[in-house]
Amino acid sequence: MHEMGTRDPAESVKTLDLDIDPELASVARQLVSSKYWLDKTIAEQDAAMLSGGLHDGGYGPAQGWPFLQRVLPFLHASTAQGDPFPALVPTAHVLGCSWKWRGRELTPHGVTRRVQLLSDVDALLSGELDQTRYCWIQPLGIIAPHEGKNRADFFRAQGIEFIPANVVAYSYPAEHRLKVYRVEYPGFAQTWAVLDDRWLQRLDHPNWSLPVLEAYGVEVRAWPSDFARPQDVQLALFERPGGASFALGDSSRDANATVDLHTIAAKQAYADEHLRTGMSELKDVKVDARFWQACAASAVLSMLALAFAPQAWGAFREAAATAFGLSLGAVVFPFLGRVLVAPRRALTNQRTLPPDRHPERVAGRSRYTYRKPLAAHSELSIETKKQV
């Protein structure tokens, strides 16, 4: 399919074989169709309230790849699987984005002329056809146009089954690496996707995401008891992204907020370590002012008793000396006595997590980043970078 023949150029362009489970193919078509009708309704009926964050309002419909970033978790883990190749792409699997023009803006003659122009396979092969670049998420059977996105909905409206286009195949994390959890906790109920039992992203649009993921083979489960507490994960989603000791990934590198469960676990283990400490080092612990007043009064009175008691009052003077010593000891005990044992989380002046205990420093951390497009063509290029 990737090789071009030496005969008639049109014969060398074959239909793109999706080669996926029929149920997954059906769900992929439903996703594409739902976006089409959402965009169409918003554009023609001024129904922006239906978007639910899946339409870019005055900027037009969400383009294919950014749309999928909002729906599919860990899309940044996808990588290109080869060079572009020409193919006849099934329209029903292509996410359209009619932000520049729509078929209803054309005359009947203009529609016919546009169909002939955009269906010309020879023009595609010779480079005369307007540039097309379709990102095919191969395991899911969903195609996101990067260039040539306006024609997808146009072909759909005209009932044309295939679009000639240059296609780049992309990977997607295997289904066994993904898990989906429905989490209900006092104060919030959310759906989370976890990659490799470590990286977590929140599914903000589960009604769109779950049908695709379930058809892909990802099971929806209850939150495991050996994972981080749901409230700790929820708090991590509000952290400053990219901090050295924070679990939330750098938002400049990841399109979606990504939480590292290993970092949460490391912070939990570090905070639970028990240390010897003094009372003054305990967090949110204060000594009652009356204690200091009593110690001061006892010290002053015992000192006066020692100063003015006759030498013959030996037992009294001994008691006064003992009281004076105990008073001074009570005063300095909160500062010097390290006889208490408390978890690190209960102490003041403790680091959240030192760098040498951070999973990112210990074992390395995968980052999903954009590579700068080539000057020759605006290509969406995604790579995975390892930082140690």
Side-chain angles (χ1 to χ4, degrees):
M1 182 177 64
H2 296 224
E3 296 182 359
M4 299 178 57
T6 57
R7 297 168 295 172
D8 182 0
E11 294 180 359
S12 64
V13 179
K14 302 183 183 302
T15 301
L16 186 66
D17 182 10
L18 299 179
D19 191 26
I20 58 175
D21 180 79
E23 180 183 356
L24 179 57
S26 175
V27 172
R29 290 192 294 270
Q30 291 175 14
L31 177 74
V32 170
S33 177
S34 296
K35 183 184 185 304
Y36 167 72
W37 286 109
L38 176 68
D39 294 344
K40 181 179 176 65
T41 303
I42 291 175
E44 298 180 0
Q45 304 298 328
D46 193 23
M49 291 182 182
L50 296 177
S51 67
L54 294 174
H55 190 282
D56 289 336
Y59 293 98
Q63 298 184 28
W65 196 273
F67 172 84
L68 290 178
Q69 286 178 335
R70 306 173 196 180
V71 172
L72 298 177
F74 306 106
L75 189 61
H76 275 64
S78 300
T79 55
Q81 300 300 292
D83 297 328
F85 59 90
L88 297 176
V89 180
T91 308
H93 288 257
V94 181
L95 288 166
C97 178
S98 299
W99 65 273
K100 190 174 183 180
W101 57 270
R102 295 177 179 272
R104 61 191 175 99
E105 301 170 1
L106 304 174
T107 65
H109 174 74
V111 169
T112 302
R113 175 63 184 148
R114 188 65 62 94
V115 169
Q116 292 175 346
L117 177 67
L118 299 179
S119 300
D120 191 339
V121 177
D122 292 336
L124 172 69
L125 295 176
S126 64
E128 299 175 4
L129 185 62
D130 288 345
Q131 186 184 42
T132 58
R133 200 167 193 84
Y134 283 13
C135 303
W136 170 31
I137 305 177
Q138 196 167 6
L140 302 180
I142 300 175
I143 299 152
H146 181 54
E147 295 291 346
K149 47 189 169 289
N150 292 280
R151 72 192 65 181
D153 286 344
F154 174 67
F155 272 46
R156 196 181 337 272
Q158 300 304 315
I160 301 173
E161 295 185 6
F162 297 99
I163 307 172
N166 292 308
V167 178
V168 180
Y170 278 81
S171 65
Y172 190 71
E175 69 277 5
H176 67 270
R177 299 177 58 198
L178 290 167
K179 295 182 179 66
V180 173
Y181 299 99
R182 180 62 183 170
V183 180
E184 296 184 2
Y185 192 80
F188 66 90
Q190 295 179 356
T191 305
W192 294 338
V194 176
L195 176 66
D196 296 334
D197 291 327
R198 178 174 183 180
W199 309 101
L200 179 145
Q201 288 186 355
R202 182 177 56 209
L203 298 183
D204 292 325
H205 307 282
N207 291 339
W208 292 75
S209 309
L210 291 182
V212 177
L213 294 173
E214 289 180 316
Y216 186 46
V218 180
E219 182 181 352
V220 180
R221 315 172 183 216
W223 188 249
S225 59
D226 58 342
F227 272 19
R229 298 182 306 171
Q231 61 267 40
D232 291 335
V233 176
Q234 181 73 348
L235 287 174
L237 289 167
F238 290 93
E239 289 180 345
R240 178 171 61 85
S245 62
F246 294 145
L248 186 62
D250 189 344
S251 60
S252 67
R253 301 176 182 271
D254 303 316
N256 299 320
T258 304
V259 171
D260 182 6
L261 296 177
H262 286 191
T263 298
I264 294 180
K267 291 170 65 176
Q268 180 80 29
Y270 182 73
D272 286 344
E273 291 178 351
H274 282 68
L275 305 175
R276 287 191 175 276
T277 183
M279 186 185 303
S280 63
E281 295 178 348
L282 293 177
K283 189 183 300 181
D284 299 325
V285 172
K286 294 183 178 180
V287 180
D288 194 323
R290 290 172 296 183
F291 172 78
W292 302 116
Q293 294 169 1
C295 290
S298 175
V300 170
L301 290 175
S302 58
M303 184 174 61
L304 291 175
L306 283 173
F308 296 103
Q311 293 293 331
W313 294 7
F316 179 80
R317 291 177 62 85
E318 185 177 339
T322 302
F324 181 73
L326 290 175
S327 299
L328 292 181
V331 170
V332 300
F333 174 77
F335 302 97
L336 300 180
R338 301 179 65 84
V339 295
L340 303 178
V341 176
R344 194 187 298 273
R345 67 173 66 254
L347 307 183
T348 58
N349 301 321
Q350 292 292 315
R351 304 184 66 171
T352 304
L353 187 66
D356 60 345
R357 298 285 292 274
H358 199 293
E360 180 178 348
R361 300 292 183 89
V362 175
R365 179 172 181 177
S366 295
R367 299 286 197 182
Y368 311 126
T369 64
Y370 281 113
R371 187 168 57 217
K372 186 177 180 180
L374 300 178
H377 52 267
S378 180
E379 174 189 354
L380 179 64
S381 180
I382 299 173
E383 64 179 356
T384 300
K385 180 172 66 177
K386 195 77 170 178
Q387 290 190 347
V388 179

